């Protein structure tokens, strides 16, 4: 990993450029004051003149606004205010050569902030990353031969962990190098899941992401949001912000935080860390139907992480880059039988816990038809919209999901 500060002679005294902030700051501060942020505006003015305590105070004020209610109710101006304060705090750290601290604050600006100052945040991270590469020591990178997944698992042991009837019924069809025409005709239009093999060999991620040293080098000091606990339906579930290196350490040590397994789930990691985005390619299948890509997310965690039975609104290709996952799918036509939660937030999640089915409450679930599979490294699984799916990591696993929508003139309905 990198050192937190440069030697005195190497410390960048000028800071980094923020052209968007320079252009938009007056208008942004005016908008903030119109929403009662007078104290924030005062602190931001002092921070712009180099007062680090004022910058940190502004950051805290904006942070409090971000947590004043449900995320969807937070005013966009306060998200931009948080990004602004993060830039001001990070500039101070950068001038002092405190690169790790600067990266953490900028990452928080990306994760929690708005879109107005995104280019400034990205360019600052790129500049600081260039500095940090100069301070990385080979001894900090660990054992170059260490792989995240380097052994097979015992299938008999795995079957003991999976839901009842797993891999004993109908398996998801697997097709090698499926043509776009066949994908459209046999799966996209008919809404039929399929595993596509032999279509990721050209991805740099196939070779790189199983190498702990590579991940540490490109992302070790970046801050990411993780989930801690059995899954998001459990009361003890929570979210944390930790460095990528700490996350890898939890996986490597095969240990949990006090709250349970740690999972980097459904996070737009590739928007945040450009080096990892260069390691993957959007599958051509995602342009089927004339639609557009809606989201590109990472799923990374140890064996045992579970995403409970749920459905998503878009077409989905789940690409398995490292490790293996068990996946069970139920047709969208079985939604009523799978008893979705009634609340707005969880309406796409089933009340049925496949790992511990309450047969008194859901007596017919065991008889419902499903398909399932073990998704291997280098394979992609197509999941049609509204199909219910349950996912369990069988090993340390790093996956990428591609969601895309149908075009307005699509023949699929």
């Amino acid at each position: 990993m990198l050192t937190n500060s440069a030697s005195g002679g190497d410390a960048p005294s000028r800071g980094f450029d923020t052209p968007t902030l320079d252009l938009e700051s007056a208008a942004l501060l005016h908008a903030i004051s119109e929403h009662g942020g007078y104290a924030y505006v005062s602190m931001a003015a002092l921070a712009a003149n180099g007062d680090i305590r004022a910058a940190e105070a502004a950051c805290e004020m904006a942070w409090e606004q971000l947590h004043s209610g449900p995320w969807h109710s937070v005013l966009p101006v306060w998200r931009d205010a948080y990004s602004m304060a993060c830039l001001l705090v990070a500039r101070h750290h950068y001038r002092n050569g405190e690169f790790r601290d600067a990266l953490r604050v900028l990452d928080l600006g990306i994760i929690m902030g708005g879109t107005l100052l995104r280019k400034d945040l990205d360019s600052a991270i790129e500049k600081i990353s260039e500095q940090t590469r100069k301070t990385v020591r080979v001894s900090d990178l660990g054992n170059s031969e260490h792989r995240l997944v380097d052994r097979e698992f015992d299938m008999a042991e795995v079957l003991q962990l999976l839901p009842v009837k797993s891999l004993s019924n109908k398996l998801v069809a697997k097709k090698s190098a499926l043509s776009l025409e066949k994908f459209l005709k046999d799966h996209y239009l008919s809404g039929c899941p399929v595993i596509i093999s032999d279509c990721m060999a050209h991805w740099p991620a196939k070779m790189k992401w199983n190498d702990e040293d590579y991940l540490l080098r490109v992302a070790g000091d970046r801050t990411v949001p993780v989930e801690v606990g059995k899954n998001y339906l459990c009361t003890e579930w929570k979210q944390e912000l930790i460095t990528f290196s700490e996350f890898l350490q939890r996986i490597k040590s095969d240990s949990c935080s006090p709250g349970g397994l740690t999972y980097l789930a459904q996070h737009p990691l590739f928007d945040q860390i450009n080096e990892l985005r260069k390691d993957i390619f959007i599958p051509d299948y995602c342009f089927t139907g004339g639609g557009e890509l809606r989201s590109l997310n990472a799923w990374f965690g140890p064996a045992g992480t579970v995403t409970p039975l749920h459905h998503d609104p878009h077409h989905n290709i789940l690409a398995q880059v490292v490790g293996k996952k068990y996946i069970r799918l139920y047709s969208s036509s079985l939604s009523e039988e799978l008893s979705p939660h009634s609340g707005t937030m969880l309406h796409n999640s089933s009340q049925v816990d496949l790992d511990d089915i309450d047969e008194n409450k859901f007596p017919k679930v065991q008889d419902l038809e499903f398909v399932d599979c073990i998704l291997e490294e280098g394979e992609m699984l197509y999941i049609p919209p509204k199909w219910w799916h349950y996912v369990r990591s069988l090993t340390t696993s790093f996956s990428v999901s591609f969601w895309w929508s149908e075009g307005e003139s699509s023949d699929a309905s």
Side-chain angles (χ1 to χ4, degrees):
M1 300 309 301
L2 57 90
T3 56
N4 193 43
S5 62
S7 60
D10 295 332
S13 59
R14 194 175 68 86
F16 47 76
D17 295 329
T18 54
T20 307
L21 177 60
D22 297 343
L23 182 66
E24 301 288 347
S25 61
L28 177 56
L29 290 171
H30 177 71
I32 294 169
S33 65
E34 287 189 327
H35 288 91
Y38 305 110
Y40 175 95
V41 172
S42 298
M43 291 297 103
L46 294 172
N49 290 320
D51 188 332
I52 180 56
R53 291 186 179 180
E56 291 173 339
C59 213
E60 285 296 323
M61 291 175 188
W63 181 265
E64 289 177 3
Q65 290 294 325
L66 297 184
H67 294 81
S68 60
W71 182 249
H72 62 81
S73 68
V74 176
L75 294 175
V77 68
W78 281 111
R79 298 184 189 180
D80 290 328
Y82 185 69
S83 295
M84 179 183 191
C86 286
L87 282 165
L88 295 172
V89 172
R91 178 177 284 165
H92 170 84
H93 288 312
Y94 180 68
R95 284 172 173 165
N96 288 343
E98 299 162 352
F99 301 139
R100 181 182 288 120
D101 292 333
L103 280 177
R104 175 175 173 77
V105 173
L106 292 169
D107 273 326
L108 291 176
I110 287 177
I111 295 168
M112 304 295 292
T115 59
L116 178 65
L117 304 175
R118 180 58 188 266
K119 288 185 178 180
D120 285 356
L121 291 165
D122 286 337
S123 63
I125 283 175
E126 182 177 358
K127 183 169 185 177
I128 294 171
S129 295
E130 291 176 0
Q131 291 288 338
T132 63
R133 292 188 187 103
K134 299 175 183 178
T135 64
V136 172
R137 299 190 301 267
V138 174
S139 60
D140 289 332
L141 294 179
N143 184 349
S144 62
E145 296 181 356
H146 185 266
R147 294 168 61 83
L148 293 176
V149 180
D150 58 5
R151 62 183 177 86
E152 291 294 320
F153 56 76
D154 186 307
M155 179 58 75
E157 291 182 5
V158 166
L159 287 173
Q160 297 298 316
L161 301 173
L162 298 181
V164 176
K165 295 185 177 181
S166 293
L167 304 174
S168 64
N169 201 339
K170 184 178 180 181
L171 299 178
V172 179
K174 183 180 297 189
K175 299 182 180 179
S176 175
L178 185 64
S179 71
L180 291 175
E181 180 181 2
K182 293 288 287 182
F183 174 74
L184 175 66
K185 178 182 177 182
D186 297 342
H187 302 282
Y188 181 90
L189 293 177
S190 61
C192 181
V194 64
I195 293 173
I196 307 169
S197 60
D198 302 319
C199 54
M200 289 167 54
H202 61 298
W203 285 22
K206 277 281 291 161
M207 294 295 294
K208 293 180 176 181
W209 289 6
N210 199 14
D211 180 358
E212 180 190 352
D213 290 350
Y214 172 75
L215 296 176
L216 282 171
R217 187 168 63 251
V218 302
D221 285 287
R222 305 298 299 277
T223 295
V224 292
V226 296
E227 301 178 358
V228 179
K230 181 180 177 183
N231 63 61
Y232 63 83
L233 296 178
C234 298
T235 55
E236 70 274 11
W237 177 87
K238 63 179 180 179
Q239 294 176 298
E240 295 179 0
L241 290 165
I242 62 176
T243 62
F244 203 82
S245 59
E246 181 181 346
F247 173 61
L248 286 174
Q249 186 60 37
R250 291 188 188 183
I251 294 176
K252 181 179 178 181
S253 62
D254 197 27
S255 64
C256 308
S257 76
L261 293 173
T262 301
Y263 194 17
L264 193 159
Q266 198 171 345
H267 174 55
L269 183 67
F270 313 107
D271 286 342
Q272 184 183 353
I273 304 177
N274 188 49
E275 290 89 342
L276 295 177
R277 175 64 181 86
K278 294 175 182 178
D279 292 337
I280 61 175
F281 298 94
I282 299 173
D284 290 342
Y285 306 107
C286 296
F287 301 104
T288 304
E292 61 179 312
L293 196 69
R294 291 293 184 180
S295 67
L296 173 58
N297 289 319
W299 305 78
F300 188 15
T305 54
V306 170
T307 302
L309 193 60
H310 72 288
H311 68 76
D312 301 311
H314 300 298
H315 295 273
N316 180 10
I317 278 185
L318 181 66
Q320 189 64 23
V321 183
V322 176
K324 305 172 189 281
K325 281 183 170 173
Y326 170 81
I327 303 169
R328 178 180 291 196
L329 303 106
Y330 293 86
S331 169
S332 57
S333 64
L334 297 175
S335 290
E336 183 176 346
E337 290 86 343
L338 291 173
S339 304
H341 283 271
S342 57
T344 304
M345 293 292 291
L346 297 175
H347 69 279
N348 70 326
S349 297
S350 172
Q351 297 180 59
V352 178
D353 181 357
L354 289 181
D355 291 315
D356 186 20
I357 297 176
D358 185 338
E359 296 186 4
N360 292 323
K361 191 175 182 181
F362 309 108
K364 298 181 180 180
V365 166
Q366 295 279 28
D367 298 324
L368 295 179
E369 182 177 343
F370 64 85
V371 294
D372 62 356
C373 66
I374 290 181
L375 193 65
E376 307 274 355
E377 283 189 9
E379 295 181 341
M380 297 179 179
L381 172 65
Y382 168 61
I383 305 174
K386 301 297 181 70
W387 270 64
W388 294 83
H389 47 290
Y390 160 100
V391 185
R392 172 183 282 269
S393 296
L394 304 180
T395 66
T396 293
S397 171
F398 201 158
S399 314
V400 183
S401 63
F402 302 84
W403 282 10
W404 79 98
S405 61
E406 297 174 356
E408 294 182 3
S409 59
S410 173
D411 293 332
S413 60

